[in-house]
Amino acid sequence: MSVTHNYLLQTVVDFNSSETSSSSQLLSDETTETMSRILLYGVTPFIGIIGVTGNTFSIIILRKHGLHKCSNILLISLAFMDMSFLTAYNSVPHIIYYMKGGNRFLFSRSVSQLWYVIYFVYIVTDYTSCCAALCMPMLITIERLVAVYLPLKFGQIITQRRTWAAVITVELFWLSCMAYLCFWYKFEYVFDETLNISVGIISRSDVYFRDRHAVPIVEEMFFNMKIPPVVTVIGCTAIIIKVKLSSIRRSKMTASAKQTSTSRTTNTLLAVSFAYLFTVTIFAVPTYLPTDMSAYKFTTENPSNVGIVVYQLVNIMLMINSSWNFLVYVVMNKNFRDTFRELMSCKNSTPKY
């Protein structure tokens, strides 16, 4: 969801013709371009590789533990969403259009149109996966609330079918939103006088101008997504209180109470939720900065250089959020850690003949 990454934000970066002269900006055009290239070609691919690798291990290990536990269904779904986001974020069409083509597809009409389609496939995957992943901790929190407050009725309330239905509903909701936003844009093949050739460009469609009333609603929905974090904060607080009270009661009943599987799962899922809340806090900070320092709207045409860099840094935080859950599982969950060791020992063992 980077400023220079997604045309859906309409933040086309043209370092030679910015709305505000470089002399009046905190960062020069040259500095901004250099930082953007470092982040695009170095930092984000590096984080993406680490994140995809970690999420792949998470899926393998959680699958070995089985999908009979609804918590594993949620964690595997989160890993798939994170992996999809990390893959789509490092978008080849983006590099071809923005960095190599200067906001143009420099190919024949048919090839440019094909790249346009592929470009929006990446965009839809990027936004859908990221937004769905940011909603998953809310489902995880709800599942744990039922587990700690209604343990005897947990199996009746939280079932595999309902868990899958909740995950699919979240994914389809954001997919439908992104499918609609794609109609805000259209492909055009025009003559570029500076290059003296015809090029493919992405421009606003008639649907966008017809539905301008929907723009504030969509922006509010995407960039002020308050419900999942609020539910997660309240739910985690309630879970911690319940767990502490239960721990006090157990300590009075027995001096050597071992940690149960339920408490291990709860601690792991709480750690995932807290990591998510940290990310959401960082992600929300730029919304309180002056408008010339951030560009959080689909309609922003010419963001400031500082806004471009700030937004990219925020999105790197989102990538980190999609990459560190594997580390959380290894640190917090002994069963996960043991399975990972077994998996690695099998890979490293040399067959004997």
Side-chain angles (χ1 to χ4, degrees):
M1 295 174 69
S2 134
V3 164
T4 58
H5 178 69
N6 288 338
Y7 195 88
L8 288 173
L9 291 175
Q10 269 306 136
T11 52
V12 178
V13 180
D14 186 349
F15 297 104
N16 297 318
S17 58
S18 58
E19 184 179 84
T20 308
S21 64
S22 59
S23 61
S24 63
Q25 298 213 46
L26 295 177
L27 292 177
S28 66
D29 292 342
E30 293 76 14
T31 301
T32 304
E33 183 176 14
T34 300
M35 294 182 69
S36 296
R37 289 183 180 277
I38 291 173
L39 295 175
L40 178 66
Y41 293 127
V43 177
T44 56
F46 177 73
I47 297 175
I49 292 172
I50 293 177
V52 169
T53 302
N55 282 301
T56 300
F57 276 118
S58 295
I59 292 170
I60 293 173
I61 294 172
L62 291 168
R63 185 67 185 85
K64 287 175 70 71
H65 288 176
L67 298 182
H68 58 281
K69 293 179 64 176
C70 294
S71 57
N72 284 352
I73 294 175
L74 294 173
L75 292 181
I76 283 181
S77 300
L78 177 60
F80 269 114
M81 293 172 186
D82 285 337
M83 193 161 55
S84 298
F85 165 63
L86 291 168
T87 303
Y89 187 92
N90 293 281
S91 169
V92 174
H94 157 63
I95 296 175
I96 291 175
Y97 186 77
Y98 286 114
M99 308 306 291
K100 298 297 184 182
N103 306 325
R104 294 160 293 200
F105 289 119
L106 305 179
F107 308 102
S108 64
R109 176 187 289 272
S110 57
V111 175
S112 294
Q113 198 157 18
L114 176 61
W115 274 115
Y116 168 82
V117 173
I118 298 174
Y119 180 92
F120 273 95
V121 169
Y122 271 86
I123 293 296
V124 170
T125 304
D126 178 349
Y127 271 82
T128 300
S129 301
C130 182
C131 293
L134 289 175
C135 290
M136 288 302 295
M138 177 178 66
L139 298 184
I140 291 172
T141 302
I142 294 172
E143 189 264 357
R144 280 299 93 186
L145 279 171
V146 177
V148 299
Y149 278 92
L150 299 170
L152 299 180
K153 296 183 178 180
F154 178 80
Q156 300 174 6
I157 299 174
I158 305 296
T159 63
Q160 294 181 36
R161 180 174 297 181
R162 289 174 181 173
T163 303
W164 281 118
V167 171
I168 293 172
T169 299
V170 169
E171 187 77 17
L172 289 179
F173 171 78
W174 289 112
L175 179 61
S176 63
C177 291
M178 292 314 305
Y180 163 70
L181 292 181
C182 288
F183 290 103
W184 283 8
Y185 304 90
K186 65 180 180 180
F187 172 82
E188 290 186 320
Y189 200 68
V190 300
F191 184 78
D192 190 313
E193 295 182 355
T194 59
L195 299 178
N196 199 32
I197 58 172
S198 294
V199 298
I201 64 171
I202 305 172
S203 61
R204 295 290 192 188
S205 69
D206 294 336
V207 176
Y208 172 78
F209 296 103
R210 186 194 67 198
D211 296 348
R212 285 301 294 267
H213 62 280
V215 173
I217 299 174
V218 174
E219 289 177 345
E220 176 72 17
M221 181 176 62
F222 271 90
F223 302 115
N224 293 288
M225 194 165 54
K226 300 183 179 73
I227 295 177
V230 170
V231 172
T232 304
V233 168
I234 296 175
C236 287
T237 303
I239 290 169
I240 291 173
I241 293 173
K242 179 65 174 179
V243 169
K244 289 294 183 183
L245 293 175
S246 299
S247 178
I248 293 172
R249 284 198 298 269
R250 282 199 304 269
S251 64
K252 292 179 179 180
M253 294 171 60
T254 175
S256 58
K258 293 185 178 180
Q259 190 180 39
T260 64
S261 175
T262 301
S263 63
R264 283 198 299 266
T265 301
T266 299
N267 290 337
T268 302
L269 296 180
L270 280 174
V272 171
S273 297
F274 282 126
Y276 155 78
L277 290 173
F278 175 76
T279 302
V280 170
T281 301
I282 300 298
F283 183 68
V285 168
T287 61
Y288 299 99
L289 296 176
T291 54
D292 61 340
M293 296 183 66
S294 61
Y296 263 75
K297 296 184 177 180
F298 291 101
T299 50
T300 303
E301 299 289 346
N302 291 291
S304 67
N305 289 340
V306 174
I308 293 171
V309 174
V310 167
Y311 204 99
Q312 290 188 31
L313 293 175
V314 168
N315 281 281
I316 286 178
M317 192 65 219
L318 284 176
M319 293 189 69
I320 294 174
N321 178 68
S322 294
S323 304
W324 63 16
N325 283 336
F326 171 75
L327 180 61
V328 172
Y329 305 151
V330 170
V331 173
M332 298 298 299
N333 194 298
K334 184 178 183 300
N335 290 341
F336 188 95
R337 189 163 57 247
D338 292 342
T339 305
F340 178 63
R341 285 173 180 163
E342 293 175 6
L343 188 64
M344 296 308 295
S345 63
C346 290
K347 286 190 175 185
N348 294 330
S349 61
T350 303
K352 296 181 180 180
Y353 299 95

